[in-house]
Amino acid sequence: SDLQKQEERGELLQPLIFILLVVCSVLLYFKVSLMDPGFVKSEEEAKAGKSEEQSMVIPQVPSNIKMRRCGYCLVKQPMRARHCQLCQHCVRRYDHHCPWIENCVGEKNHPLFIVYLSVQLVVLLWGGHAAWSGLYFEQSWVWLQHNILLLMSFLLIVIFTVVVLLLLISHLYLISCNTTTWEFMSHHRISYLRHSELENPFDQGVVLNLWRFFC
């Protein structure tokens, strides 16, 4: 049969890989959106100062900076944590609240968020290539009627690809500097950064920053 011949020629492999990537991106989306981003819990107050991140950064931060109690949920905030008004929780190593996933991006789900963006970018680039290869341009109303949906799909894919690409690049840059979106945007308002002698007291070099984040 034709299907069997296509399989023998390896023509079914690419669509299968594409479908698997789409399924993977959907599963990653639900995983990142539903998982705990690193909520600070009251029973963890006593352990907050003993975490690995605390032990790494405390020597580099002025000793007069004390952990403060959150005015909303009344838990003692570890360094780099912030209260999210939408989630109604303090989040460890808070990066931002993402409206696309309806969840915060923090200590626990930030690496998986980067993986999700990477897989999504591959899917969009592949889909954009497939849509472009199906277009053949003619200056006629009949051609536009038959290709309007494909053309609109391609334009939407291009827009989403640019957004995801810029978001991924910006996150990778901040990760390589060991800073978060919140710290980058609000540097002048954060006490442990404003009173620090170093511009970024958490930066340990690009390689070590990436290693500690992903591993």
Side-chain angles (χ1 to χ4, degrees):
S1 64
D2 293 338
L3 190 62
Q4 194 171 14
K5 291 178 180 178
Q6 287 179 334
E7 186 179 359
E8 291 174 356
R9 293 196 298 265
E11 294 177 1
L12 297 180
L13 184 61
Q14 286 190 358
L16 181 62
I17 294 174
F18 180 75
I19 292 171
L20 289 175
L21 282 172
V22 172
V23 172
C24 182
S25 69
V26 172
L27 293 176
L28 282 170
Y29 171 82
F30 283 110
K31 176 66 175 176
V32 174
S33 62
L34 296 175
M35 73 182 294
D36 177 4
F39 294 134
V40 180
K41 300 175 184 177
S42 56
E43 59 265 25
E44 296 177 353
E45 288 182 16
K47 300 179 182 179
K50 298 180 182 179
S51 66
E52 183 180 351
E53 184 180 4
Q54 289 287 313
S55 62
M56 288 192 300
V57 302
I58 283 179
Q60 298 172 307
V61 179
S63 57
N64 61 333
I65 304 299
K66 298 180 179 179
M67 291 174 62
R68 68 185 185 91
R69 192 170 292 276
C70 176
Y72 296 97
C73 53
L74 302 179
V75 297
K76 192 174 288 186
Q77 284 185 338
M79 193 170 294
R80 310 189 80 178
R82 183 176 185 265
H83 184 85
C84 176
Q85 297 273 16
L86 296 173
C87 292
Q88 295 297 312
H89 282 286
C90 286
V91 180
R92 292 181 180 275
R93 201 181 183 278
Y94 176 87
D95 188 86
H96 71 288
H97 183 93
C98 181
W100 298 102
I101 64 173
E102 278 299 321
N103 194 12
C104 282
V105 176
E107 183 179 75
K108 289 186 178 180
N109 66 347
H110 200 171
L112 206 59
F113 181 72
I114 299 300
V115 175
Y116 164 67
L117 288 179
S118 302
V119 173
Q120 191 65 50
L121 181 61
V122 173
V123 170
L124 286 168
L125 289 172
W126 198 332
H129 172 73
W132 177 259
S133 63
L135 286 171
Y136 59 95
F137 293 97
E138 293 180 6
Q139 294 183 352
S140 67
W141 176 247
V142 176
W143 175 88
L144 187 60
Q145 284 182 316
H146 285 85
N147 292 272
I148 185 66
L149 290 178
L150 186 60
L151 186 61
M152 289 177 63
S153 298
F154 176 73
L155 293 176
L156 281 175
I157 289 173
V158 169
I159 293 171
F160 285 126
T161 300
V162 172
V163 171
V164 173
L165 180 62
L166 292 176
L167 191 59
L168 182 61
I169 290 174
S170 64
H171 272 275
L172 290 175
Y173 168 75
L174 293 175
I175 292 165
S176 68
C177 300
N178 197 359
T179 189
T180 64
T181 303
W182 172 57
E183 289 171 341
F184 181 77
M185 300 295 292
S186 307
H187 189 281
H188 61 287
R189 295 194 290 112
I190 302 173
S191 58
Y192 59 81
L193 294 178
R194 191 173 66 247
H195 295 103
S196 175
E197 295 178 359
L198 301 173
E199 184 177 352
N200 181 10
F202 307 111
D203 188 6
Q204 296 180 311
V206 175
V207 176
L208 193 57
N209 290 338
L210 293 173
W211 174 264
R212 287 191 181 280
F213 180 84
F214 287 106
C215 306

